[in-house]
Amino acid sequence: MDELERIDAYWRAANYLSVGQIYLLDNPLLDEPLTPEHVKPRLLGHWGTTPGLNFCFAHLNRIIRERDQDMIYICGPGHGGPAVVAHAWLEGTYTERFPHVTRDTEGMRRLFRQFSFPGGVPSHAAAATPGSIHEGGELGYSLAHAYGAAFDNPGLVVACVIGDGEAETGPLAAGWHSNKFLNPGRDGVVLPILHLNGYKIANPTVLARIPEDELIKLLEGYGYRPHVVAGEDPARMHRLMAETLDVVFDEIADFTAGRAPHLPMIVLRTPKGWTGPREVDGLPVEGTWRSHQVPLTEVRSRPDHLELLWEWMWSYRPRELFHQDGRPVPEITRTVPVGGRRMSANPHANGGELLRPLVLPDFRDYAVEVKSPGSAFTEPTRVLGRLLRDVIAANPADFRLMGPDETASNRLQAVFEVTDRAWEAARLPTDDHLAPGGRVMEVLSEHLCQGWLEGYLLTGRHGLFSCYEAFIHIVDAMFNQHAKWLESAKQIGWRRPVASLNYLLSSHVWRQDHNGFSHQDPGFLDVVVNKKAEVVRVYLPPDTNTLLSVADHCLRSRDYVNVIVAGKQPVLDLMGMDEAIAHCTRGLGILEWASTDAGAEPDVVLACAGDVPTLETLAATALLREHLPELRVRVVNVVDLMRLQPRSEHPHGLDDTEFDALFTADRPVIFNFHGYPWLIHRLTYRRNGHDNLHVRGYKEEGTTTTPFDMAMLNDIDRYHLVMDVIDRVPGLATTAAHLRQQMADARLRARAHTREYGEDPAEIRDWTWPC
Amino acid sequence: MDELERIDAYWRAANYLSVGQIYLLDNPLLDEPLTPEHVKPRLLGHWGTTPGLNFCFAHLNRIIRERDQDMIYICGPGHGGPAVVAHAWLEGTYTERFPHVTRDTEGMRRLFRQFSFPGGVPSHAAAATPGSIHEGGELGYSLAHAYGAAFDNPGLVVACVIGDGEAETGPLAAGWHSNKFLNPGRDGVVLPILHLNGYKIANPTVLARIPEDELIKLLEGYGYRPHVVAGEDPARMHRLMAETLDVVFDEIADFTAGRAPHLPMIVLRTPKGWTGPREVDGLPVEGTWRSHQVPLTEVRSRPDHLELLWEWMWSYRPRELFHQDGRPVPEITRTVPVGGRRMSANPHANGGELLRPLVLPDFRDYAVEVKSPGSAFTEPTRVLGRLLRDVIAANPADFRLMGPDETASNRLQAVFEVTDRAWEAARLPTDDHLAPGGRVMEVLSEHLCQGWLEGYLLTGRHGLFSCYEAFIHIVDAMFNQHAKWLESAKQIGWRRPVASLNYLLSSHVWRQDHNGFSHQDPGFLDVVVNKKAEVVRVYLPPDTNTLLSVADHCLRSRDYVNVIVAGKQPVLDLMGMDEAIAHCTRGLGILEWASTDAGAEPDVVLACAGDVPTLETLAATALLREHLPELRVRVVNVVDLMRLQPRSEHPHGLDDTEFDALFTADRPVIFNFHGYPWLIHRLTYRRNGHDNLHVRGYKEEGTTTTPFDMAMLNDIDRYHLVMDVIDRVPGLATTAAHLRQQMADARLRARAHTREYGEDPAEIRDWTWPC
């Protein structure tokens, strides 16, 4: 057997194993005649994309061996499960990871049976798939994940097969331009393999049906050097693919050496369901949409379909591929790389294996001094920028900051003292902190920011994504998939923990002064808390020192999604660093200096979460002190939102005794919240005092206006909180009726001032804690 | 003045008005020396993109007049507010829409003052902007909106200015390929104008910095014929733009006549902040990122900045542009088209003006016969497909069905009896129902489906978007923006109601048998209910006839977002059509035939919403009848989720008396819900009986498995519901302990069966209502 014959044997073996996974419960090696009982009762799998994926694996393995190439494989097509699993089994990794799936007949039987079967493995690449960092369910992110994996991994090639269905998605279309952010010297490279098999589910695909010259222009326009490998005759295609890969990897070497400006890529045009049944029941199947899922659907009920399956599987000549005991023959195992060079076992694809803890400066060193609480203003993200600056400097090769061109706008600009914005395209003298090798990745695509960061984290590095709060919804679906990945990965023993995905949501709902209603949406938190408690964390630090403490905690954590909401506008400094650390460690607590309950049972609890709601709550408290000095007010601030849930629902949850000790079981609680108010109810509905809980928050009232006017539009303002207290504390409705009217009048005056002068009254803008 | 001089005058006028909006509170015509008091205290606006937008308006108006061209304008760049408002004012539309903003000095003063000012107008195109169908806040959707507007509008040109920032987003990148779905004869055309001003916020843009030959290849690869208009000298640029537009509109005529295969487009390369201050404080501003927002920031505090503003505004020579009383001079008004030809007054951009009600067949004609409830199965979406087929046939020019290649997969294939999938690229004999002119739009991009449909609806047509439930999260952010548009438009008297945006979420969380965990996410409902009650509706019809009734209602409605969740898998027929109509009209109700409370107070209420939870609830009820015949069980089914909210929160909300009459105020309620369980708590936490409410739903447990195993994983299955009843009805814990154990055993047996055979036990698969 020559090299190409061995590759062909490997390919046939992978195809055989793929068909077996889709169809067979038993009789994996066809040792006996196939009966309906050998076939799964429910045929749930996708053949269409699989042979093309197997073809790529087979050929890339040759390159890995010949060039000792470090390479991982991203399987973009949605339902490539049979291929990636077959590959891992042929390489031996599957058995290493799941010892009960041995590399023999019994293991093959288990491999087949478990596929798309209850208690088994999904029909696409997933966390349970050795060698994968990419879930094959929701489409669109393969290229972004691939680039994320390649950044800061010199020497690594990330082979990324892109289905032509996926290629129609927006995130994928944007992903091609990631090459403008990839540095040939410092980063690895991505080898995109655009797999045109012609159809998605029932439709043809756009890129398979435009004229080839248009396709080539498109790919060249994206900045690549495309090589077309097209056909259906296996022998010819093996030759062509092998020759092309030799050229492509030479070109990659030129690119990384700085001798060529463009990355090569491959356009692989093969029939959908290649080598599968050509025709079934008189209708064409190979090369059409009919081979998308299961080409033969009635195998258990129709002998002719069963016969066709038998012929199809025998067409791969399994007796040449496997020993009688099921082991692959040496001609096949010889084509497989060794150890960590196997794509199914490459440590980059189980990034936790490579993860090093961040070198973190002591966040206490960045503390703002707080002489007395609430007496001075700081921009929290500006201070955080200094910490991030030093994180970047101390971790020059495994920390990146992502954002859609908002790093400076979000006041993190201190980072530009030590680094730049990454940029590999042309530069001009008027550019600001723009350079190849920059650690800040700014592109006006939240999808790319998220996808790059996911790829970067899953290959064992660290990062933070800074984003406008409203527009993080753009990646809701990507967040969902990443959270599900983490949820799944935690169940898999060999998956090592990875760094958490950290979001900093600045430019939040309350401060969209010049952007208005379209930029006002705090609903990402509602999306986040739907995911499993083990993987999601939400923090709302009320001031600068608490933000520093929270950020340090998040940067050290593993396997979470951490959402930090913190404004970029000046907020009152509330806590010295020691107090901030204690407060963040508890996750919530009484602000003693603001409270007037003196340790006794309060008349009312004013709770708050988020910087602007906290400010308004403090201002309301000050008004109450002034006008109702006898009233016992307790102020509770919540940093860690998950503390509100029962402990049975979230590991951070307070037990009921602790909760009652803070919020009481029977006193009115006015909770001033950053987001949609019902989220607090959703977290606390089982609490004893829930019936007394009244939540203020964003109720979808907004426009282009001043900060205090926004607060008033949604009734989270100081005056309205005082009115709420009067309405809810027994007795006050009559004794404090005059104060209530004063507050209502103050609102009208503030509104009128704003409409007249275009800014908030000075006494509100400059308000500090008076006591 | 020749034509180009008049265009230049119009352009200068628009630029003058734009600067005035950003800066001035008063003294709009500079009749007196500028003082700090004339300047807004907070400068909140964006100059950078504005002169380019004004340039396009000025030149397109000439084409409209000369060719009597029907044209609308989509302003993609995020902060083009000053431009679109200036334009509407110059055309007279602004005064027609907002009579207090007169076309004179006082009106100009109001125009300036209101911009980005409390109680005023936002800094980007919005619902309040005459002539706009596109919100300029969240970026990425201009091209999809433009194509949506062009479909089925022969003769219309949708000029779509795309900012080079926006061009980096995924949805925009995917949007270019919309041309493969546009029919030259039946549809209008889109004229993309890619505006390269070089910078987004602080960064350069990708498309402005790649070599021009790469850019041209990219655009040709997208299937366009690009024309470059580049420079900064106004006189030269006016000539070039005018000449280019003449060529472009000739090419458009060739395209629509079928004489040219490709749409033309324009690449407009001008300096950012063109004609603004060239340098401020020694730093370059025009042509750099520094002109993104407000080029002069200290106008109120620094006399030199005030002086620069004065010079800048005078540079447009306002005395040549406006009469002393503020009216534009005839040289300017003469360049403006008349009536509905003005882009700010074109009725397509206030689509409700053109909206015709759908011609709807009687949905009762599609009813499935129900001899007795729960005795037969139907695939609801297959029947809905027949209704949609006839809707398509009866409305051949203003109804479209959108979906990411799932129309047939979602069992709506009856529509292909009367139409095809739209496709303008190459076709093959193996294609299935694919043709130019098809009414079904299938592209593997939820962003495009959503964006096309939004553009289509906002220009006065109708449609439905059918999508996998989990992946509708991909367009969470777009949904948010569309809901906000509807919320805003309702406040604007001249905006006419448009058809609702209808989602059909099929292939839902409970039936992802072969897709698994990545496809299991019912959280879109949580996102939807965060938006204002006036615009959101959520329906969970439990069977086929209720789906027909709900669909008919949604297709007739206006100005809502309707979410319909309905499975494609066979579900039990529960109601005859009359009953279904009555049930859907009430929105929820007791299933008398399943209940055993005989009109008396029940011992327990089993509530349900969604097809799979309803089936399991009925099966649990049957088990209770069999084993605990004395127990009085009431079964309540909820179709219209918004009925659960208090009436104060949603117009569909039940009042508390009605709620208590159904759910009782004090009996245990086991609510079996389609989505995340806490959503029900969030809707009902103020209800009297809330403390007795126990909700089952999807709790993020999933994998590739059978339907009943999925139900068991999340405890929504019949056996667990019976256990819940036993646990919650006083007394049963002891008297029915044996039954409880039986149920637990039944779960174990079902699980074991599934793991053994790969399918649910036959008695569960085939279960029907026994009574």
Side-chain angles (χ1 to χ4, degrees):
Chain A
M1 256 190 201
D2 70 9
E3 180 76 36
L4 289 185
E5 284 167 342
R6 277 196 298 274
I7 289 177
D8 184 66
Y10 181 98
W11 184 45
R12 285 185 283 124
N15 286 342
Y16 181 88
L17 294 171
S18 300
V19 180
Q21 289 178 78
I22 294 172
Y23 281 97
L24 296 190
L25 274 179
D26 207 343
N27 191 15
L29 273 172
L30 303 179
D31 291 323
E32 43 181 315
L34 206 50
T35 68
E37 290 64 43
H38 295 145
V39 176
K40 297 183 183 187
R42 307 169 80 227
L43 298 171
L44 307 170
H46 291 70
W47 167 247
T49 185
T50 300
L53 292 170
N54 287 334
F55 185 79
C56 296
F57 274 123
H59 280 271
L60 290 170
N61 270 349
R62 178 182 66 87
I63 296 289
I64 292 173
R65 279 181 298 104
E66 286 187 1
R67 305 192 181 215
D68 190 27
Q69 178 64 56
D70 197 9
M71 183 160 14
I72 63 172
Y73 187 96
I74 289 190
C75 172
H79 288 283
V84 287
V85 168
H87 177 70
W89 190 83
L90 284 171
E91 294 197 324
T93 319
Y94 211 89
T95 306
E96 293 164 21
R97 297 304 197 191
F98 304 98
H100 66 291
V101 184
T102 41
R103 206 150 56 141
D104 56 17
T105 310
E106 175 55 17
M108 198 191 289
R109 196 186 65 82
R110 289 184 172 162
L111 190 81
F112 289 2
R113 185 184 174 85
Q114 69 172 9
F115 175 79
S116 236
F117 199 81
V121 303
S123 66
H124 45 63
T129 314
S132 178
I133 60 159
H134 175 80
E135 178 88 33
E138 187 173 290
L139 301 178
Y141 318 128
S142 62
L143 209 41
H145 286 165
Y147 273 94
F151 294 139
D152 293 320
N153 264 330
L156 180 68
V157 171
V158 185
C160 180
V161 183
I162 301 156
D164 46 355
E166 180 179 25
E168 292 180 9
T169 67
L172 197 289
W176 293 106
H177 288 297
S178 304
N179 52 5
K180 281 80 189 176
F181 300 85
L182 183 106
N183 188 280
R186 182 202 49 186
D187 299 326
V189 305
V190 173
L191 170 60
I193 302 173
L194 177 63
H195 185 205
L196 302 180
N197 72 24
Y199 288 94
K200 27 198 201 262
I201 301 181
N203 275 275
T205 58
V206 168
L207 294 191
R209 291 290 176 89
I210 60 176
E212 187 146 304
D213 68 314
E214 259 180 54
L215 177 68
I216 298 301
K217 278 183 185 171
L218 182 68
L219 298 169
E220 289 177 351
Y222 280 132
Y224 297 84
R225 197 182 157 91
H227 299 262
V228 178
V229 175
E232 54 185 302
D233 172 57
R236 196 186 140 269
M237 286 294 281
H238 283 309
R239 266 198 316 280
L240 188 55
M241 185 68 166
E243 288 163 12
T244 304
L245 279 176
D246 285 337
V247 173
V248 158
F249 276 82
D250 288 347
E251 289 179 359
I252 287 176
D254 287 345
F255 175 83
T256 53
R259 291 189 300 267
H262 293 126
L263 276 171
M265 63 163 291
I266 291 172
V267 176
L268 176 65
R269 206 187 277 271
T270 63
K272 185 152 188 159
W274 194 17
T275 72
R278 199 168 277 269
E279 209 179 275
V280 178
D281 301 335
L283 294 169
V285 173
E286 189 192 19
T288 82
W289 50 275
R290 287 191 193 84
S291 59
H292 178 67
Q293 294 195 19
V294 177
L296 300 161
T297 51
E298 295 169 72
V299 184
R300 266 167 80 104
S301 55
R302 282 178 49 181
D304 59 333
H305 276 205
L306 191 68
E307 176 68 23
L308 281 172
L309 176 61
W310 175 263
E311 285 170 14
W312 177 14
M313 294 193 73
W314 276 110
S315 76
Y316 299 120
R317 309 198 297 278
R319 291 293 174 270
E320 297 175 14
L321 309 173
F322 306 101
H323 291 295
Q324 219 175 342
D325 65 0
R327 280 178 302 122
V329 298
E331 286 73 16
I332 285 173
T333 48
R334 239 198 290 161
T335 71
V336 167
V338 177
R341 280 287 184 258
R342 295 171 297 177
M343 289 191 286
S344 57
N346 190 303
H348 291 294
N350 184 15
E353 290 183 7
L354 302 175
L355 183 69
R356 286 167 307 185
L358 276 180
V359 178
L360 283 172
D362 190 337
F363 67 97
R364 298 171 191 80
D365 296 344
Y366 305 82
V368 294
E369 198 188 345
V370 181
K371 296 216 169 104
S372 77
S375 59
F377 292 90
T378 306
E379 293 163 327
T381 53
R382 193 179 294 276
V383 177
L384 178 66
R386 295 177 199 137
L387 173 65
L388 292 174
R389 170 196 64 202
D390 297 341
V391 172
I392 289 172
N395 301 273
D398 56 1
F399 180 86
R400 295 216 187 200
L401 187 59
M402 314 279 176
D405 197 12
E406 290 154 9
T407 304
S409 157
N410 282 331
R411 317 266 161 102
L412 301 171
Q413 60 264 59
V415 298
F416 297 122
E417 296 168 20
V418 298
T419 188
D420 297 294
R421 300 171 171 100
W423 192 258
E424 300 290 330
R427 285 181 292 153
L428 295 176
T430 46
D431 294 339
D432 180 47
H433 289 294
L434 194 75
R439 313 299 303 161
V440 178
M441 314 288 294
E442 296 199 326
V443 60
L444 213 162
S445 164
E446 285 79 0
H447 292 114
L448 280 188
C449 293
Q450 171 87 16
W452 288 346
L453 183 54
E454 288 177 1
Y456 198 67
L457 297 175
L458 290 175
T459 48
R461 282 79 63 77
H462 307 260
L464 183 139
F465 178 8
S466 150
C467 188
Y468 269 53
E469 183 181 39
F471 300 149
I472 197 69
H473 270 300
I474 291 171
V475 296
D476 276 4
M478 298 181 78
F479 153 77
N480 279 336
Q481 296 299 330
H482 188 72
K484 280 174 178 282
W485 177 282
L486 293 176
E487 291 169 15
S488 302
K490 274 178 188 276
Q491 314 301 320
I492 300 163
W494 53 266
R495 281 266 171 212
R496 310 312 314 152
V498 295
S500 300
L501 197 165
N502 300 308
Y503 293 104
L504 173 67
L505 306 186
S506 202
S507 293
H508 61 52
V509 55
W510 298 108
R511 295 304 304 267
Q512 295 302 329
D513 314 2
H514 61 316
N515 287 315
F517 195 40
S518 66
H519 288 54
Q520 291 158 351
D521 194 313
F524 186 61
L525 302 188
D526 300 77
V527 174
V528 168
V529 297
N530 273 345
K531 290 289 160 282
K532 273 197 190 161
E534 300 98 86
V535 303
V536 295
R537 303 288 182 269
V538 178
Y539 300 98
L540 296 131
D543 76 348
T544 302
N545 286 338
T546 48
L547 173 61
L548 287 169
S549 173
V550 163
D552 177 76
H553 175 76
C554 293
L555 290 174
R556 291 175 193 278
S557 72
R558 298 285 180 268
D559 277 352
Y560 297 148
V561 176
N562 295 308
V563 183
I564 307 172
V565 185
K568 65 186 184 184
Q569 304 292 346
V571 303
L572 282 177
D573 302 323
L574 302 180
M575 303 183 199
M577 188 43 96
D578 290 343
E579 196 188 341
I581 294 170
H583 188 60
C584 293
T585 305
R586 282 191 304 264
L588 79 181
I590 298 171
L591 303 188
E592 302 282 359
W593 49 268
S595 304
T596 53
D597 59 337
E601 214 33 6
D603 297 311
V604 64
V605 176
L606 293 188
C608 49
D611 51 11
V612 169
T614 299
L615 172 73
E616 291 303 318
T617 298
L618 289 171
T621 309
L623 286 166
L624 289 168
R625 279 183 183 228
E626 179 186 346
H627 296 285
L628 298 173
E630 304 296 303
L631 192 74
R632 285 165 304 173
V633 178
R634 175 183 295 171
V635 180
V636 175
N637 178 266
V638 180
V639 178
D640 174 355
L641 204 62
M642 300 297 95
R643 297 289 272 164
L644 296 178
Q645 288 201 75
R647 187 163 288 175
S648 57
E649 299 292 321
H650 196 285
H652 288 195
L654 289 178
D655 66 35
D656 276 344
T657 323
E658 294 171 308
F659 190 91
D660 292 348
L662 282 172
F663 292 97
T664 79
D666 55 1
R667 301 305 158 99
V669 180
I670 316 287
F671 198 123
N672 212 22
F673 180 48
H674 172 85
Y676 291 105
W678 31 87
L679 178 55
I680 299 300
H681 288 295
R682 167 241 189 284
L683 297 172
T684 60
Y685 63 82
R686 292 281 175 222
R687 297 297 190 177
N688 294 321
H690 179 257
D691 284 351
N692 308 308
L693 177 65
H694 191 72
V695 187
R696 294 289 172 196
Y698 181 66
K699 49 183 192 180
E700 200 66 16
E701 295 290 342
T703 180
T704 309
T705 193
T706 64
F708 192 69
D709 195 40
M710 264 302 287
M712 286 197 293
L713 281 172
N714 292 281
D715 298 339
I716 71 155
D717 61 285
R718 56 197 69 181
Y719 302 131
H720 207 285
L721 294 177
V722 171
M723 292 159 67
D724 285 336
V725 168
I726 294 170
D727 291 346
R728 267 147 230 286
V729 172
L732 286 187
T734 46
T735 59
H738 178 68
L739 176 61
R740 197 183 190 290
Q741 188 58 49
Q742 258 185 281
M743 295 294 106
D745 292 345
R747 280 165 61 87
L748 292 177
R749 276 199 311 279
R751 169 71 49 84
H753 182 281
T754 305
R755 297 291 158 109
E756 176 71 19
Y757 301 101
E759 58 183 351
D760 290 326
E763 69 270 22
I764 285 172
R765 272 187 284 132
D766 305 335
W767 184 88
T768 55
W769 178 250
C771 313
Chain B
M1 257 191 199
D2 71 8
E3 180 75 36
L4 289 185
E5 284 167 344
R6 279 196 298 274
I7 290 176
D8 184 66
Y10 180 99
W11 184 46
R12 286 185 281 123
N15 286 342
Y16 181 88
L17 294 169
S18 300
V19 181
Q21 289 179 79
I22 294 172
Y23 281 97
L24 295 190
L25 273 180
D26 208 343
N27 191 16
L29 274 172
L30 304 181
D31 290 323
E32 43 181 313
L34 206 50
T35 68
E37 289 66 42
H38 295 145
V39 176
K40 298 183 182 186
R42 306 170 81 228
L43 297 172
L44 306 170
H46 291 70
W47 167 246
T49 184
T50 300
L53 292 170
N54 288 334
F55 186 78
C56 296
F57 273 123
H59 280 270
L60 291 169
N61 270 349
R62 178 182 68 86
I63 296 289
I64 292 172
R65 280 182 295 103
E66 286 186 3
R67 304 192 181 215
D68 190 27
Q69 177 64 55
D70 198 9
M71 185 162 12
I72 63 173
Y73 187 98
I74 289 188
C75 172
H79 287 283
V84 287
V85 167
H87 177 69
W89 189 83
L90 284 171
E91 294 197 323
T93 318
Y94 211 89
T95 306
E96 293 164 21
R97 298 302 198 192
F98 303 98
H100 66 291
V101 185
T102 42
R103 205 149 56 140
D104 56 18
T105 310
E106 174 56 17
M108 198 190 289
R109 195 185 65 82
R110 289 185 170 160
L111 190 82
F112 288 4
R113 186 183 174 86
Q114 68 171 8
F115 175 80
S116 236
F117 200 81
V121 302
S123 66
H124 45 62
T129 315
S132 178
I133 60 160
H134 175 81
E135 179 89 32
E138 188 172 291
L139 301 179
Y141 318 128
S142 62
L143 209 41
H145 286 164
Y147 273 93
F151 293 139
D152 293 320
N153 264 330
L156 181 68
V157 170
V158 185
C160 179
V161 183
I162 301 155
D164 47 355
E166 179 178 25
E168 292 180 9
T169 68
L172 198 288
W176 293 105
H177 286 299
S178 304
N179 52 5
K180 281 78 187 178
F181 300 85
L182 183 106
N183 187 278
R186 183 203 47 187
D187 298 328
V189 305
V190 172
L191 170 60
I193 302 173
L194 176 62
H195 185 205
L196 303 180
N197 73 24
Y199 287 94
K200 24 197 204 264
I201 301 181
N203 275 275
T205 58
V206 168
L207 295 191
R209 291 289 176 90
I210 61 177
E212 187 146 301
D213 68 314
E214 259 179 56
L215 176 69
I216 297 301
K217 278 183 186 170
L218 181 68
L219 299 169
E220 289 177 351
Y222 280 133
Y224 297 83
R225 197 181 156 89
H227 299 262
V228 178
V229 176
E232 54 184 301
D233 172 58
R236 194 185 142 269
M237 285 294 281
H238 283 311
R239 266 198 318 280
L240 187 55
M241 185 69 165
E243 288 162 12
T244 303
L245 280 175
D246 284 337
V247 173
V248 158
F249 276 81
D250 288 346
E251 289 180 359
I252 286 176
D254 287 345
F255 176 82
T256 54
R259 291 190 300 266
H262 293 126
L263 276 171
M265 63 160 293
I266 291 172
V267 176
L268 176 65
R269 207 188 275 270
T270 63
K272 185 151 188 158
W274 194 16
T275 73
R278 198 168 278 268
E279 212 181 273
V280 178
D281 300 335
L283 294 169
V285 173
E286 190 192 19
T288 82
W289 52 275
R290 288 192 192 83
S291 60
H292 178 67
Q293 294 196 19
V294 177
L296 301 161
T297 50
E298 294 170 73
V299 185
R300 267 167 80 105
S301 54
R302 281 177 50 182
D304 58 332
H305 276 205
L306 190 68
E307 176 67 23
L308 280 173
L309 175 61
W310 174 264
E311 285 168 14
W312 177 13
M313 294 193 74
W314 275 110
S315 76
Y316 299 119
R317 309 197 298 280
R319 291 294 174 268
E320 296 175 15
L321 310 173
F322 305 101
H323 292 293
Q324 218 174 344
D325 65 1
R327 280 178 302 123
V329 298
E331 285 73 17
I332 285 173
T333 49
R334 240 200 287 162
T335 71
V336 167
V338 178
R341 281 288 183 258
R342 294 172 297 177
M343 289 191 286
S344 58
N346 190 304
H348 291 294
N350 184 14
E353 290 184 6
L354 302 174
L355 183 70
R356 287 166 308 185
L358 276 182
V359 178
L360 283 172
D362 190 335
F363 68 96
R364 297 170 192 83
D365 297 345
Y366 304 82
V368 294
E369 199 187 345
V370 181
K371 294 217 171 104
S372 77
S375 60
F377 291 89
T378 306
E379 292 163 327
T381 53
R382 193 180 293 276
V383 178
L384 178 67
R386 296 178 198 135
L387 173 65
L388 292 174
R389 170 195 65 201
D390 297 342
V391 172
I392 288 171
N395 302 274
D398 56 1
F399 179 85
R400 296 215 185 201
L401 187 59
M402 315 278 178
D405 198 12
E406 291 155 8
T407 304
S409 157
N410 282 332
R411 316 269 161 101
L412 301 171
Q413 59 264 60
V415 300
F416 296 122
E417 296 168 22
V418 299
T419 190
D420 298 294
R421 300 172 171 97
W423 192 257
E424 301 288 331
R427 285 180 292 152
L428 295 176
T430 44
D431 293 339
D432 181 46
H433 289 295
L434 194 74
R439 313 299 302 159
V440 178
M441 314 288 294
E442 295 199 328
V443 61
L444 214 162
S445 164
E446 286 79 1
H447 293 112
L448 280 188
C449 293
Q450 171 88 15
W452 289 345
L453 183 54
E454 289 177 359
Y456 198 66
L457 297 175
L458 291 175
T459 48
R461 283 80 62 78
H462 308 261
L464 184 139
F465 177 8
S466 151
C467 189
Y468 270 51
E469 185 181 39
F471 301 149
I472 197 69
H473 271 300
I474 292 171
V475 296
D476 277 4
M478 298 182 78
F479 153 78
N480 279 337
Q481 296 299 329
H482 187 72
K484 281 174 178 281
W485 176 283
L486 293 176
E487 290 168 14
S488 302
K490 274 180 189 276
Q491 314 300 321
I492 300 163
W494 53 265
R495 281 268 171 209
R496 312 310 315 152
V498 295
S500 299
L501 197 165
N502 300 307
Y503 293 103
L504 173 66
L505 305 187
S506 203
S507 295
H508 61 53
V509 56
W510 298 108
R511 294 305 302 269
Q512 294 301 330
D513 315 1
H514 60 316
N515 288 315
F517 194 40
S518 66
H519 288 54
Q520 291 158 352
D521 194 313
F524 186 61
L525 302 187
D526 300 77
V527 174
V528 168
V529 299
N530 273 345
K531 289 291 160 280
K532 273 196 188 162
E534 299 100 85
V535 303
V536 295
R537 303 287 182 269
V538 177
Y539 300 98
L540 297 133
D543 76 348
T544 302
N545 286 337
T546 48
L547 173 60
L548 287 169
S549 173
V550 162
D552 178 77
H553 176 76
C554 292
L555 290 174
R556 290 175 195 278
S557 73
R558 299 282 181 271
D559 277 352
Y560 297 148
V561 175
N562 296 309
V563 183
I564 307 172
V565 184
K568 65 186 185 185
Q569 304 291 346
V571 305
L572 282 178
D573 303 322
L574 301 181
M575 303 184 199
M577 189 44 96
D578 290 343
E579 197 188 339
I581 294 169
H583 188 60
C584 293
T585 305
R586 283 192 303 265
L588 80 181
I590 298 171
L591 302 187
E592 302 281 359
W593 50 268
S595 303
T596 53
D597 58 337
E601 208 45 358
D603 298 311
V604 64
V605 177
L606 294 188
C608 49
D611 51 10
V612 169
T614 298
L615 171 74
E616 291 304 318
T617 298
L618 289 171
T621 310
L623 286 166
L624 290 169
R625 277 184 186 225
E626 182 188 343
H627 296 284
L628 298 172
E630 304 296 302
L631 191 73
R632 285 166 304 173
V633 177
R634 177 182 292 172
V635 180
V636 175
N637 178 266
V638 180
V639 178
D640 174 354
L641 204 63
M642 300 296 96
R643 297 290 272 164
L644 297 177
Q645 289 201 75
R647 187 162 288 173
S648 57
E649 298 293 323
H650 196 284
H652 287 196
L654 289 177
D655 66 35
D656 276 344
T657 323
E658 295 171 305
F659 189 92
D660 292 348
L662 283 171
F663 292 96
T664 80
D666 54 1
R667 300 306 157 98
V669 180
I670 316 287
F671 198 124
N672 213 21
F673 180 49
H674 172 86
Y676 290 105
W678 32 85
L679 178 55
I680 299 299
H681 288 293
R682 167 239 188 283
L683 296 173
T684 60
Y685 63 83
R686 290 283 176 221
R687 298 297 190 178
N688 293 321
H690 179 258
D691 284 350
N692 309 307
L693 178 65
H694 191 73
V695 187
R696 294 286 172 197
Y698 181 67
K699 50 184 192 179
E700 200 68 13
E701 294 291 343
T703 179
T704 308
T705 191
T706 65
F708 192 70
D709 195 41
M710 265 302 288
M712 287 196 294
L713 281 172
N714 292 281
D715 298 339
I716 73 154
D717 61 286
R718 55 197 69 180
Y719 303 130
H720 209 284
L721 294 177
V722 171
M723 292 159 67
D724 286 336
V725 168
I726 295 169
D727 291 345
R728 268 148 229 285
V729 173
L732 286 186
T734 46
T735 59
H738 178 68
L739 176 61
R740 198 183 188 291
Q741 188 58 49
Q742 259 186 280
M743 296 294 106
D745 292 345
R747 280 165 60 88
L748 293 176
R749 276 199 311 277
R751 168 71 48 86
H753 183 281
T754 305
R755 298 290 159 110
E756 176 70 19
Y757 301 101
E759 58 184 352
D760 291 325
E763 68 271 21
I764 285 171
R765 271 187 286 133
D766 305 336
W767 183 88
T768 55
W769 179 248
C771 314

